[in-house]
């Protein structure tokens, strides 16, 4: 089996978890009127009829010829012109003018320039090295930075609020098919409480990988993980191999 190992010192990682969370419509009515011309009717005044009588001697009676009656009739009929009623149509329906409120202009967003993460330096700084394998126990600050960027680690780290945990960062020049990390859980007095074997997924060439070491040992005081051994395997991972195996030391 092709494997390369490297031994490290202590790793103490304990975490406490805390969870926080609108027209009026107006109408114009136009009225119209019909103008009528009143007709004035004049009645004619009749001309009086004059009768002339001539008296003669008693023997001869001369009947005067009747005089001609001149009768003039003047009939004046008034001419009435009917003026067609004018219907004024409203040219346009008057609608209320609603002044629209100006919409506030959105504030321009500040442009954020995204700077790509720099490629990790190679070889990695402050790592232990042996036969192409690099390993390091990260500081708390380094570990928090890594966990905030990797969601899978953020979900795993919740267990560290109850159980003793540790962490290790590894890398290999040629990459690894799978990683094996052997470690021990110690009490605050340095007494070995149990042995922990952790198996992790592959890593690419020169990829820095962070592996959490989660034991089933409950946190009581200042327990920690130490005596870390990192092994890079180039052979296929054995079938049925558990991700974590803990063997408690019998007192």
């Amino acid at each position: 089996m092709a494997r390369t190992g490297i031994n490290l010192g202590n790793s103490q990682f304990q975490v406490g978890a805390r969870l926080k969370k609108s027209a009026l419509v107006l109408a114009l009515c136009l009225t119209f009127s019909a103008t009528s011309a009143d007709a004035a009717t004049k009645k004619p005044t009749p001309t009086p009829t004059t009768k002339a009588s001539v008296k003669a001697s008693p023997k001869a009676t001369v009947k005067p010829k009747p005089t001609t009656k001149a009768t003039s009739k003047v009939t004046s009929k008034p001419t009435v012109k009917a003026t067609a009623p004018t219907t004024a149509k409203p040219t346009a329906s008057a609608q209320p003018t609603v002044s629209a409120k100006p919409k506030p202009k959105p504030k321009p967003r500040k442009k954020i320039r995204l700077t790509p993460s720099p490629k990790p330096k190679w070889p990695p700084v402050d790592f232990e090295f042996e036969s192409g394998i690099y390993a390091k126990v990260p500081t708390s600050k380094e570990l928090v930075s890594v966990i905030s960027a990797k969601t899978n680690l953020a979900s795993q780290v919740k267990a560290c609020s109850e159980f003793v945990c540790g962490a290790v960062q590894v890398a290999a020049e040629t990459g690894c098919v799978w990683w094996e990390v052997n470690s021990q859980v110690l009490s605050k007095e340095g007494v070995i409480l149990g042995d922990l074997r952790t198996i992790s997924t592959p890593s690419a060439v020169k990829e820095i990988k962070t592996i959490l070491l989660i034991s089933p040992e409950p946190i009581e005081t200042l327990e920690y993980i130490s005596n870390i051994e990192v092994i890079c395997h180039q052979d296929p991972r054995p079938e049925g191999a558990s991700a974590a195996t803990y063997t408690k030391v019998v007192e």
Side-chain angles (χ1 to χ4, degrees):
M1 178 186 297
R3 52 178 282 178
T4 306
I6 185 171
N7 294 322
L8 297 175
N10 300 340
S11 175
Q12 185 177 14
F13 179 51
Q14 298 179 3
V15 178
R18 182 179 299 174
L19 302 177
K20 308 189 170 180
K21 214 172 200 312
S22 114
L24 295 175
V25 176
L26 300 179
L28 291 179
C29 297
L30 300 179
T31 60
F32 63 90
S33 63
T35 305
S36 301
D38 295 337
T41 305
K42 297 179 181 181
K43 292 183 179 181
T45 303
T47 304
T49 303
T50 305
K51 293 182 179 180
S53 299
V54 178
K55 290 182 178 181
S57 61
K59 293 180 178 180
T61 302
V62 180
K63 292 181 180 180
K65 296 180 180 181
T67 58
T68 305
K69 296 179 182 180
T71 303
S72 61
K73 292 181 180 180
V74 179
T75 303
S76 176
K77 294 182 179 180
T79 303
V80 179
K81 291 182 180 180
T83 304
T86 303
T87 302
K89 295 181 179 180
T91 55
S93 60
Q95 295 183 353
T97 303
V98 180
S99 57
K101 294 182 180 180
K103 294 182 179 180
K105 295 182 179 179
K107 294 181 180 180
R109 294 181 179 180
K110 294 182 179 180
K111 294 182 179 180
I112 301 175
R113 295 181 179 180
L114 298 177
T115 304
S117 300
K119 293 182 179 181
K121 295 181 180 180
W122 194 264
V125 182
D126 298 332
F127 277 64
E128 297 289 335
F129 172 74
E130 186 178 325
S131 303
I133 305 301
Y134 295 83
K136 170 188 177 182
V137 174
T139 63
S140 298
K141 183 178 180 180
E142 291 172 336
L143 190 56
V144 169
S145 177
V146 172
I147 290 173
S148 62
K150 294 185 180 294
T151 56
N152 62 325
L153 291 179
S155 61
Q156 294 177 31
V157 79
K158 293 179 181 179
C160 298
S161 61
E162 299 179 22
F163 305 103
V164 180
C165 294
V168 63
Q169 290 182 311
V170 296
E173 291 179 346
T174 58
C176 283
V177 176
W178 59 285
W179 289 91
E180 178 184 355
V181 182
N182 295 309
S183 59
Q184 292 181 324
V185 180
L186 284 74
S187 66
K188 64 177 182 178
E189 294 83 9
V191 178
I192 299 175
L193 302 177
D195 296 323
L196 178 65
R197 179 178 183 244
T198 305
I199 294 179
S200 186
T201 54
S203 65
V205 175
K206 297 180 180 180
E207 175 192 1
I208 298 177
K209 181 179 180 67
T210 302
I211 303 173
L212 291 181
L213 310 176
I214 305 173
S215 77
E217 196 72 49
I219 295 175
E220 293 182 1
T221 52
L222 298 175
E223 295 83 0
Y224 60 98
I225 291 180
S226 184
N227 302 328
I228 300 171
E229 178 191 26
V230 176
I231 304 171
C232 171
H233 292 272
Q234 300 298 338
D235 295 334
R237 174 178 171 175
E239 293 184 5
S242 178
T245 303
Y246 182 67
T247 305
K248 192 173 182 65
V249 174
V250 179
E251 295 180 358

Coordinates of all heavy atoms in Angstrom, one line a residue, residues 124-206:
P124 N 3.3 25.5 1.2 CA 2.6 26.2 2.2 C 3.5 26.6 3.4 O 4.4 25.9 3.7 CB 1.5 25.3 2.6 CG 2.0 23.9 2.3 CD 2.8 24.1 1.0
V125 N 3.2 27.8 3.9 CA 4.1 28.3 5.0 C 3.7 27.7 6.3 O 2.5 27.5 6.6 CB 3.9 29.9 5.0 CG1 4.8 30.4 6.1 CG2 4.3 30.5 3.7
D126 N 4.7 27.5 7.1 CA 4.5 27.0 8.5 C 3.9 25.5 8.5 O 3.3 25.2 9.5 CB 3.7 27.9 9.3 CG 4.3 29.3 9.5 OD1 5.5 29.4 9.5 OD2 3.6 30.3 9.7
F127 N 4.1 24.8 7.5 CA 3.6 23.4 7.5 C 4.8 22.4 7.7 O 6.0 22.7 7.3 CB 3.0 23.0 6.1 CG 1.6 23.4 6.0 CD1 1.2 24.8 6.0 CD2 0.6 22.5 5.8 CE1 -0.1 25.1 5.9 CE2 -0.7 22.8 5.7 CZ -1.1 24.2 5.7
E128 N 4.5 21.4 8.4 CA 5.6 20.3 8.6 C 5.6 19.6 7.2 O 4.6 19.4 6.6 CB 5.2 19.3 9.7 CG 5.1 20.0 11.1 CD 6.5 20.4 11.6 OE1 7.5 19.7 11.2 OE2 6.6 21.3 12.5
F129 N 6.8 19.2 6.8 CA 7.0 18.5 5.5 C 7.8 17.2 5.7 O 8.7 17.1 6.5 CB 7.8 19.5 4.6 CG 8.2 18.8 3.3 CD1 7.2 18.6 2.3 CD2 9.5 18.4 3.1 CE1 7.6 18.0 1.1 CE2 9.9 17.8 1.9 CZ 8.9 17.6 0.9
E130 N 7.3 16.2 4.9 CA 8.0 15.0 4.9 C 7.5 14.2 3.7 O 6.4 13.9 3.5 CB 7.7 14.1 6.2 CG 8.5 12.9 6.2 CD 8.3 12.1 7.5 OE1 8.1 12.7 8.6 OE2 8.3 10.8 7.5
S131 N 8.5 13.9 2.8 CA 8.3 13.1 1.6 C 7.1 13.5 0.7 O 6.2 12.8 0.4 CB 8.1 11.6 2.0 OG 9.2 11.2 2.7
G132 N 7.0 14.9 0.5 CA 6.0 15.4 -0.4 C 4.6 15.7 0.3 O 3.7 16.0 -0.3
I133 N 4.6 15.4 1.6 CA 3.4 15.6 2.4 C 3.5 16.8 3.3 O 4.6 16.9 4.0 CB 3.0 14.3 3.3 CG1 3.0 13.1 2.4 CG2 1.7 14.5 4.0 CD1 1.9 13.2 1.3
Y134 N 2.5 17.7 3.4 CA 2.5 18.8 4.3 C 1.4 18.7 5.2 O 0.3 18.3 4.9 CB 2.4 20.1 3.4 CG 3.6 20.4 2.5 CD1 3.7 19.8 1.3 CD2 4.6 21.2 2.9 CE1 4.7 20.0 0.4 CE2 5.7 21.5 2.1 CZ 5.8 20.9 0.8 OH 6.8 21.1 0.0
A135 N 1.6 19.1 6.5 CA 0.6 19.0 7.5 C 0.8 20.1 8.5 O 2.0 20.5 8.8 CB 0.6 17.7 8.2
K136 N -0.3 20.6 9.1 CA -0.2 21.7 10.1 C -1.5 21.7 11.0 O -2.6 21.4 10.5 CB -0.1 23.0 9.4 CG -0.2 24.2 10.3 CD -0.2 25.5 9.5 CE -0.5 26.7 10.4 NZ -0.5 28.0 9.6
V137 N -1.3 21.9 12.3 CA -2.4 22.2 13.2 C -2.8 23.7 13.1 O -1.9 24.5 13.5 CB -2.1 21.7 14.6 CG1 -3.2 22.1 15.6 CG2 -1.8 20.3 14.7
P138 N -3.9 24.0 12.6 CA -4.2 25.5 12.4 C -4.6 26.2 13.7 O -5.0 25.5 14.7 CB -5.5 25.5 11.5 CG -6.1 24.2 11.8 CD -5.1 23.2 12.1
T139 N -4.3 27.5 13.7 CA -4.7 28.3 14.9 C -6.2 28.5 14.9 O -6.9 28.2 13.9 CB -4.0 29.7 14.9 OG1 -4.5 30.4 13.7 CG2 -2.5 29.5 14.8
S140 N -6.8 29.0 16.0 CA -8.2 29.2 16.1 C -8.7 30.2 15.0 O -9.7 30.1 14.3 CB -8.6 29.7 17.5 OG -8.3 28.7 18.4
K141 N -7.9 31.3 14.8 CA -8.2 32.3 13.8 C -8.2 31.7 12.4 O -9.1 32.0 11.6 CB -7.2 33.5 13.9 CG -7.5 34.6 13.0 CD -6.5 35.8 13.2 CE -6.9 36.9 12.2 NZ -5.9 38.0 12.4
E142 N -7.2 30.9 12.1 CA -7.1 30.3 10.8 C -8.3 29.3 10.5 O -8.9 29.3 9.5 CB -5.8 29.6 10.6 CG -4.6 30.5 10.6 CD -3.3 29.7 10.6 OE1 -3.3 28.6 11.2 OE2 -2.3 30.2 10.2
L143 N -8.6 28.6 11.6 CA -9.7 27.6 11.5 C -11.1 28.3 11.3 O -11.9 27.9 10.4 CB -9.8 26.7 12.7 CG -10.7 25.5 12.6 CD1 -10.3 24.6 11.5 CD2 -10.6 24.7 13.9
V144 N -11.3 29.4 12.0 CA -12.6 30.1 11.8 C -12.7 30.7 10.4 O -13.8 30.7 9.8 CB -12.7 31.3 12.9 CG1 -13.9 32.2 12.5 CG2 -12.9 30.7 14.3
S145 N -11.6 31.2 9.9 CA -11.6 31.7 8.5 C -12.0 30.6 7.5 O -12.7 30.8 6.5 CB -10.3 32.3 8.2 OG -10.2 32.8 6.8
V146 N -11.4 29.4 7.7 CA -11.7 28.3 6.7 C -13.1 27.8 6.9 O -13.8 27.6 5.9 CB -10.7 27.2 7.0 CG1 -11.0 26.0 6.2 CG2 -9.2 27.6 6.7
I147 N -13.6 27.7 8.1 CA -14.9 27.2 8.3 C -16.0 28.1 7.7 O -17.0 27.7 7.1 CB -15.2 27.0 9.8 CG1 -14.4 25.8 10.3 CG2 -16.7 26.7 10.1 CD1 -14.4 25.6 11.8
S148 N -15.8 29.5 7.8 CA -16.8 30.4 7.3 C -16.8 30.4 5.7 O -17.8 30.7 5.2 CB -16.4 31.8 7.7 OG -15.1 32.2 7.2
A149 N -15.8 29.9 5.1 CA -15.8 29.8 3.6 C -16.2 28.4 3.1 O -16.6 28.3 1.9 CB -14.3 30.1 3.1
K150 N -16.3 27.4 4.0 CA -16.7 26.1 3.5 C -17.9 25.6 4.3 O -17.8 25.4 5.5 CB -15.5 25.1 3.7 CG -14.3 25.4 2.8 CD -13.2 24.4 3.0 CE -12.0 24.7 2.1 NZ -12.4 24.6 0.7
T151 N -19.0 25.5 3.6 CA -20.3 25.1 4.2 C -20.3 23.7 4.8 O -20.9 23.5 5.9 CB -21.4 25.2 3.2 OG1 -21.2 24.4 2.1 CG2 -21.6 26.7 2.7
N152 N -19.6 22.8 4.2 CA -19.5 21.4 4.8 C -18.9 21.4 6.1 O -19.3 20.7 7.0 CB -18.9 20.5 3.8 CG -17.4 20.9 3.6 OD1 -17.1 22.1 3.5 ND2 -16.5 19.9 3.3
L153 N -17.8 22.2 6.3 CA -17.2 22.3 7.6 C -18.0 23.0 8.6 O -18.1 22.6 9.8 CB -15.8 23.0 7.5 CG -14.7 22.2 6.7 CD1 -13.5 23.1 6.6 CD2 -14.4 20.9 7.3
A154 N -18.8 24.0 8.2 CA -19.7 24.7 9.1 C -20.8 23.8 9.7 O -21.2 24.0 10.9 CB -20.3 25.9 8.4
S155 N -21.2 22.8 8.9 CA -22.3 21.9 9.4 C -21.6 20.9 10.4 O -22.3 20.5 11.3 CB -23.0 21.2 8.3 OG -22.0 20.5 7.5
Q156 N -20.4 20.5 10.1 CA -19.8 19.5 10.9 C -19.3 20.1 12.3 O -19.4 19.4 13.3 CB -18.5 19.0 10.2 CG -18.8 18.2 9.0 CD -17.5 17.7 8.3 OE1 -16.5 17.5 9.0 NE2 -17.5 17.6 7.0
V157 N -19.0 21.4 12.3 CA -18.4 22.0 13.5 C -19.4 22.1 14.6 O -19.1 22.3 15.8 CB -17.8 23.3 13.1 CG1 -18.9 24.4 13.0 CG2 -16.7 23.7 14.2
K158 N -20.7 22.0 14.3 CA -21.8 22.1 15.4 C -21.6 21.0 16.4 O -21.9 21.2 17.6 CB -23.2 21.9 14.7 CG -23.5 23.1 13.8 CD -24.9 22.9 13.2 CE -25.3 24.0 12.3 NZ -26.7 23.8 11.7
A159 N -21.0 19.9 16.0 CA -20.8 18.8 17.0 C -19.8 19.1 18.0 O -19.8 18.6 19.1 CB -20.4 17.5 16.2
C160 N -18.9 20.1 17.7 CA -17.8 20.5 18.6 C -18.3 21.3 19.8 O -17.5 21.7 20.6 CB -16.7 21.2 17.8 SG -16.0 20.2 16.5
S161 N -19.6 21.6 19.8 CA -20.1 22.3 21.0 C -20.4 21.2 22.1 O -20.6 21.6 23.3 CB -21.4 23.0 20.7 OG -22.4 22.2 20.2
E162 N -20.4 19.9 21.8 CA -20.6 18.9 22.7 C -19.5 17.9 22.9 O -19.3 17.3 24.0 CB -21.9 18.1 22.3 CG -23.2 18.9 22.2 CD -24.3 18.1 21.8 OE1 -24.3 16.9 21.9 OE2 -25.3 18.7 21.2
F163 N -18.7 17.7 21.9 CA -17.7 16.7 21.9 C -16.3 17.3 21.7 O -16.1 18.4 21.1 CB -18.0 15.6 20.9 CG -19.3 15.0 21.0 CD1 -20.3 15.3 20.1 CD2 -19.6 14.1 22.0 CE1 -21.6 14.8 20.2 CE2 -20.8 13.5 22.1 CZ -21.8 13.8 21.2
V164 N -15.3 16.5 22.1 CA -13.9 17.0 22.0 C -13.5 16.9 20.5 O -13.7 15.9 19.8 CB -13.0 16.1 22.8 CG1 -11.5 16.5 22.6 CG2 -13.4 16.1 24.3
C165 N -13.0 18.0 20.0 CA -12.6 18.1 18.6 C -11.2 18.6 18.4 O -10.7 19.2 19.3 CB -13.6 19.0 17.8 SG -15.3 18.4 17.7
G166 N -10.7 18.3 17.2 CA -9.4 18.9 16.8 C -9.5 19.2 15.3 O -10.5 18.9 14.7
A167 N -8.4 19.6 14.7 CA -8.4 19.9 13.3 C -6.9 19.8 12.8 O -6.0 20.0 13.6 CB -8.9 21.3 13.0
V168 N -6.8 19.5 11.5 CA -5.5 19.5 10.9 C -5.6 19.9 9.4 O -6.7 19.6 8.8 CB -4.9 18.0 11.0 CG1 -5.8 17.0 10.3 CG2 -3.5 18.0 10.5
Q169 N -4.6 20.6 8.9 CA -4.6 21.0 7.5 C -3.5 20.1 6.8 O -2.4 20.0 7.4 CB -4.3 22.5 7.4 CG -5.5 23.3 7.8 CD -5.2 24.8 7.6 OE1 -4.1 25.3 8.0 NE2 -6.2 25.5 7.0
V170 N -3.9 19.6 5.7 CA -3.0 18.7 4.9 C -2.9 19.1 3.5 O -3.8 19.8 2.9 CB -3.4 17.2 5.0 CG1 -3.4 16.8 6.5 CG2 -4.8 17.1 4.5
A171 N -1.8 18.7 2.8 CA -1.6 18.9 1.4 C -0.6 18.0 0.9 O 0.3 17.5 1.7 CB -1.2 20.4 1.1
A172 N -0.6 17.7 -0.4 CA 0.4 16.8 -1.0 C 0.7 17.3 -2.4 O -0.1 17.8 -3.1 CB -0.2 15.3 -1.1
E173 N 2.0 17.2 -2.7 CA 2.5 17.6 -4.0 C 1.8 16.9 -5.2 O 1.5 17.4 -6.2 CB 4.0 17.4 -4.1 CG 4.7 18.4 -3.2 CD 6.2 18.2 -3.2 OE1 6.7 17.2 -3.8 OE2 7.0 19.1 -2.8
T174 N 1.5 15.6 -5.0 CA 0.9 14.8 -6.0 C -0.6 14.6 -5.8 O -1.2 13.9 -6.6 CB 1.6 13.4 -6.0 OG1 1.4 12.8 -4.8 CG2 3.1 13.5 -6.4
G175 N -1.2 15.1 -4.7 CA -2.6 14.8 -4.4 C -2.7 13.5 -3.7 O -1.8 12.7 -3.7
C176 N -3.9 13.3 -3.1 CA -4.1 12.0 -2.4 C -5.5 11.4 -2.8 O -6.4 12.1 -3.0 CB -4.1 12.2 -0.9 SG -2.4 12.5 -0.2
V177 N -5.5 10.1 -2.8 CA -6.8 9.4 -3.1 C -7.7 9.4 -1.9 O -8.9 9.6 -2.0 CB -6.5 7.9 -3.5 CG1 -7.8 7.2 -3.8 CG2 -5.6 7.9 -4.8
W178 N -7.1 9.3 -0.7 CA -7.8 9.5 0.5 C -6.8 9.7 1.6 O -5.7 9.3 1.6 CB -8.8 8.3 0.8 CG -8.1 7.0 1.0 CD1 -7.7 6.2 0.0 CD2 -7.9 6.3 2.2 NE1 -7.1 5.0 0.5 CE2 -7.3 5.0 1.9 CE3 -8.1 6.5 3.6 CZ2 -6.9 4.1 2.8 CZ3 -7.8 5.6 4.5 CH2 -7.2 4.3 4.1
W179 N -7.3 10.4 2.7 CA -6.5 10.8 3.8 C -6.9 10.0 5.0 O -8.1 9.7 5.2 CB -6.6 12.2 4.1 CG -5.9 13.2 3.1 CD1 -6.5 13.7 2.0 CD2 -4.6 13.6 3.1 NE1 -5.6 14.5 1.4 CE2 -4.4 14.5 2.0 CE3 -3.5 13.4 4.0 CZ2 -3.2 15.1 1.7 CZ3 -2.3 14.0 3.7 CH2 -2.2 14.8 2.5
E180 N -5.9 9.6 5.8 CA -6.1 9.0 7.1 C -5.4 9.8 8.2 O -4.2 10.1 8.0 CB -5.6 7.5 7.1 CG -5.7 6.8 8.4 CD -5.1 5.4 8.3 OE1 -4.6 5.0 7.3 OE2 -5.0 4.7 9.4
V181 N -6.1 10.0 9.2 CA -5.6 10.8 10.4 C -5.8 10.0 11.6 O -6.9 9.7 12.0 CB -6.2 12.2 10.5 CG1 -5.5 13.0 11.6 CG2 -6.1 13.0 9.2
N182 N -4.7 9.6 12.3 CA -4.8 8.9 13.5 C -4.4 9.9 14.7 O -3.4 10.7 14.5 CB -3.8 7.7 13.6 CG -4.2 6.7 12.5 OD1 -5.4 6.3 12.5 ND2 -3.3 6.3 11.7
S183 N -5.2 9.9 15.7 CA -4.9 10.8 16.8 C -5.4 10.2 18.1 O -6.0 9.2 18.2 CB -5.6 12.2 16.6 OG -7.1 12.0 16.5
Q184 N -5.1 11.0 19.2 CA -5.6 10.5 20.6 C -6.3 11.6 21.3 O -5.9 12.8 21.1 CB -4.4 10.0 21.4 CG -3.7 8.8 20.9 CD -2.5 8.3 21.7 OE1 -1.8 9.1 22.2 NE2 -2.4 7.0 21.9
V185 N -7.3 11.2 22.1 CA -8.0 12.2 22.9 C -7.4 12.1 24.3 O -7.3 11.1 24.9 CB -9.5 11.9 23.0 CG1 -10.2 12.9 23.8 CG2 -10.1 11.9 21.6
L186 N -7.0 13.3 24.9 CA -6.4 13.3 26.2 C -7.2 14.2 27.1 O -7.8 15.2 26.7 CB -4.9 13.9 26.1 CG -3.9 12.9 25.5 CD1 -4.0 12.7 24.0 CD2 -2.5 13.4 25.8
S187 N -7.1 13.9 28.4 CA -7.7 14.7 29.4 C -6.8 15.9 29.7 O -5.7 16.0 29.2 CB -7.9 13.9 30.7 OG -6.6 13.6 31.3
K188 N -7.3 16.8 30.5 CA -6.5 18.0 30.8 C -5.2 17.7 31.6 O -4.3 18.4 31.6 CB -7.3 19.0 31.6 CG -7.8 18.5 33.0 CD -8.5 19.6 33.8 CE -8.9 19.1 35.2 NZ -9.6 20.2 35.9
E189 N -5.2 16.5 32.2 CA -4.0 16.1 32.9 C -3.1 15.4 32.0 O -2.0 14.9 32.4 CB -4.3 15.2 34.1 CG -5.1 15.8 35.2 CD -6.6 15.9 35.0 OE1 -7.1 15.3 34.0 OE2 -7.3 16.6 35.7
G190 N -3.5 15.2 30.7 CA -2.6 14.5 29.7 C -2.8 13.0 29.7 O -2.0 12.2 29.1
V191 N -3.9 12.5 30.3 CA -4.2 11.1 30.3 C -4.9 10.7 29.0 O -5.9 11.4 28.6 CB -5.0 10.7 31.5 CG1 -5.3 9.2 31.5 CG2 -4.2 11.0 32.8
I192 N -4.5 9.6 28.4 CA -5.1 9.2 27.1 C -6.5 8.6 27.4 O -6.6 7.7 28.2 CB -4.3 8.2 26.4 CG1 -2.9 8.8 26.0 CG2 -5.0 7.7 25.1 CD1 -1.9 7.8 25.4
L193 N -7.5 9.2 26.8 CA -8.9 8.7 27.0 C -9.3 7.8 25.9 O -10.2 6.9 26.1 CB -9.9 9.9 27.0 CG -9.6 11.0 28.1 CD1 -10.6 12.1 28.0 CD2 -9.6 10.3 29.5
G194 N -8.7 7.9 24.7 CA -9.1 7.0 23.6 C -8.3 7.3 22.3 O -7.7 8.4 22.2
D195 N -8.4 6.4 21.4 CA -7.7 6.6 20.1 C -8.8 6.9 19.0 O -9.8 6.2 18.9 CB -7.0 5.3 19.7 CG -5.8 5.0 20.7 OD1 -5.2 5.9 21.2 OD2 -5.6 3.8 21.0
L196 N -8.5 7.8 18.2 CA -9.4 8.3 17.1 C -8.8 8.1 15.7 O -7.7 8.6 15.5 CB -9.8 9.7 17.3 CG -10.8 10.4 16.3 CD1 -12.1 9.7 16.3 CD2 -10.9 11.9 16.6
R197 N -9.5 7.4 14.8 CA -9.0 7.3 13.5 C -10.1 8.0 12.6 O -11.3 7.6 12.6 CB -8.9 5.8 13.1 CG -8.5 5.6 11.6 CD -8.4 4.0 11.4 NE -7.9 3.7 10.1 CZ -8.6 3.1 9.1 NH1 -9.9 2.7 9.4 NH2 -8.1 2.8 8.0
T198 N -9.6 8.9 11.8 CA -10.5 9.7 10.9 C -10.1 9.5 9.4 O -8.9 9.6 9.1 CB -10.4 11.2 11.2 OG1 -10.7 11.4 12.6 CG2 -11.4 12.1 10.4
I199 N -11.0 9.2 8.6 CA -10.8 9.0 7.1 C -11.5 10.2 6.4 O -12.7 10.5 6.6 CB -11.3 7.7 6.7 CG1 -10.5 6.6 7.3 CG2 -11.3 7.6 5.1 CD1 -11.0 5.2 6.9
S200 N -10.7 10.8 5.5 CA -11.3 12.0 4.7 C -11.2 11.7 3.2 O -10.5 10.8 2.8 CB -10.5 13.2 5.1 OG -11.1 14.4 4.5
T201 N -11.9 12.6 2.5 CA -12.0 12.5 1.0 C -10.7 12.9 0.3 O -9.8 13.4 1.0 CB -13.1 13.4 0.6 OG1 -12.9 14.7 1.1 CG2 -14.5 12.9 1.1
P202 N -10.6 12.7 -1.0 CA -9.4 13.0 -1.7 C -9.1 14.5 -1.8 O -9.9 15.3 -1.5 CB -9.7 12.5 -3.2 CG -10.8 11.6 -3.0 CD -11.6 12.1 -1.9
S203 N -7.9 14.8 -2.2 CA -7.4 16.2 -2.4 C -6.7 16.2 -3.7 O -6.0 15.2 -4.1 CB -6.6 16.7 -1.2 OG -5.4 15.9 -1.2
A204 N -6.8 17.4 -4.4 CA -6.1 17.5 -5.7 C -4.6 17.8 -5.4 O -4.1 18.0 -4.3 CB -6.7 18.6 -6.5
V205 N -3.9 18.0 -6.5 CA -2.5 18.3 -6.5 C -2.3 19.6 -5.8 O -2.9 20.6 -6.2 CB -1.8 18.2 -7.9 CG1 -0.4 18.7 -7.8 CG2 -2.0 16.8 -8.5
K206 N -1.5 19.7 -4.8 CA -1.1 20.9 -4.1 C -2.3 21.6 -3.5 O -2.3 22.9 -3.3 CB -0.3 21.9 -5.0 CG 1.0 21.3 -5.5 CD 1.7 22.3 -6.4 CE 3.1 21.7 -6.8 NZ 3.8 22.7 -7.7

